Amino acid sequence: MYETPELADETFTRTSAIRLYEPGDFEGMRVAGRLVAEALDMITPFVVPGVTTQEIDDRIRQFTLDKGGLPACLGYKGYMKTVCTSINHVVCHGIPGDRVLKDGDIVNIDHTVIVDGWHGDSSRMYAVGNLAPRVKKLVDVTYESLALGLEQVKPGNTFGDIGFVIQRYVEANRMSVVRDFCGHGIGRLFHDSPNVLHYGRKGEGAVLKPGMFFTIEPMVNLGKPHVKVLSDGWTAVTRDKSLSAQCEHTVGVTEDGCEIFTASPAGLFNPN
């Protein structure tokens, strides 16, 4: 997911330096993060067999606007949808449309809002009807890998520490971590430095400091990690057609740990 240029704060541009925000900036991120979480909570009962991904997109867009937020993806480089809906072997950036969800599908819904210039970015996996055991395990491993990554977010640790624990857990479960996409810095910009890899080595990469805002969003495949982007320029799928799952939080580094801005108010971050 990416920044929408026409909605960006023109005083902020991406550089290679990792931006450090002030303590007062956390409140802006809390508001934006809560709204995106509320939108993903709201859509949970509608992700059922027979629903189209366009209906999901329409509901989330209207909810976001009604609550005073702006959909960050709408209009970005010709992308004319509010969310991304990535089903089964779609890794990320699936485009909502006429596709009807059916029993046994898994779908990632990725949404970003802007509230008063602050960005909240999150995605979740939704089970459509009943899942086969191996599919449920894929989703569970993906969520657990994110949880392990979040435990590493504290001053003095490195971004490599985050990637290391995610990769180790996923591969221990005989699955693979996608390398082609990653998390990112966020705040006044949608897509800022640094790139947050979901694989790596302990102690490598930049050191985490209070005031850093970024996303962690591991993408996990049942098969090999390789992906390809389809001719629409957006939809990324697994090359071996294996199933893929993703989940994402926006976080801030505090003086003694991590604040998750996109936590679900209704406790539905993992609604499966």
Side-chain angles (χ1 to χ4, degrees):
M1 305 296 290
Y2 306 91
E3 175 195 348
T4 305
E6 64 270 28
L7 297 178
D9 186 332
E10 294 181 357
T11 63
F12 287 80
T13 57
R14 180 168 183 168
T15 67
S16 59
I18 302 175
R19 203 178 310 274
L20 296 179
Y21 287 93
E22 298 297 324
D25 296 331
F26 277 70
E27 182 56 29
M29 292 297 287
R30 290 181 191 117
V31 174
R34 183 178 178 88
L35 178 54
V36 76
E38 288 175 342
L40 294 175
D41 284 352
M42 176 278 299
I43 204 63
T44 300
F46 299 101
V47 185
V48 294
V51 170
T52 68
T53 52
Q54 185 59 56
E55 181 179 343
I56 290 170
D57 192 77
D58 291 340
R59 287 183 181 276
I60 293 179
R61 181 175 63 255
Q62 193 60 55
F63 180 90
T64 300
L65 293 172
D66 288 347
K67 295 289 186 175
L70 294 173
C73 293
L74 189 61
Y76 173 76
K77 288 192 175 181
Y79 191 83
M80 297 310 296
K81 305 295 181 176
T82 294
V83 300
C84 294
T85 49
S86 301
I87 304 171
N88 296 337
H89 74 292
V90 178
V91 175
C92 60
H93 302 162
I95 303 172
D98 296 333
R99 170 69 181 269
V100 176
L101 298 179
K102 65 180 187 299
D103 186 70
D105 283 343
I106 52 174
V107 56
N108 175 272
I109 301 177
D110 193 341
H111 184 35
T112 305
V113 304
I114 305 172
V115 182
D116 296 330
W118 296 100
H119 293 75
D121 186 3
S122 184
S123 80
R124 302 179 191 173
M125 294 303 300
Y126 296 80
V128 185
N130 300 303
L131 299 186
R134 68 185 184 94
V135 181
K136 186 178 187 305
K137 182 177 180 181
L138 168 65
V139 174
D140 290 342
V141 167
T142 304
Y143 273 98
E144 184 59 28
S145 74
L146 174 60
L148 292 170
L150 291 169
E151 289 177 359
Q152 297 299 310
V153 181
K154 62 187 72 173
N157 279 4
T158 69
F159 283 97
D161 295 336
I162 297 171
F164 172 78
V165 297
I166 291 172
Q167 179 183 7
R168 181 178 62 178
Y169 182 76
V170 169
E171 293 179 354
N173 281 278
R174 299 184 179 182
M175 300 176 193
S176 64
V177 176
V178 171
R179 266 70 164 174
D180 296 66
F181 300 95
C182 60
H184 53 87
I186 194 169
R188 286 290 187 180
L189 291 180
F190 192 160
H191 203 235
D192 206 353
S193 296
N195 292 332
V196 182
L197 306 182
H198 305 114
Y199 59 94
R201 297 180 180 178
K202 284 185 177 180
E204 292 191 344
V207 175
L208 302 181
K209 298 178 181 179
M212 289 181 175
F213 298 160
F214 53 87
T215 70
I216 305 176
E217 46 187 294
M219 301 169 205
V220 177
N221 296 346
L222 268 180
K224 295 181 179 180
H226 312 299
V227 307
K228 64 179 179 180
V229 177
L230 301 184
S231 59
D232 60 26
W234 290 99
T235 307
V237 301
T238 55
R239 284 189 175 273
D240 61 7
K241 298 184 179 180
S242 63
L243 296 178
S244 186
Q246 178 194 14
C247 53
E248 174 185 14
H249 270 316
T250 296
V251 304
V253 183
T254 65
E255 293 293 334
D256 58 0
C258 167
E259 179 172 350
I260 301 172
F261 297 123
T262 49
S264 165
L268 296 175
F269 181 64
N270 185 350
N272 304 298

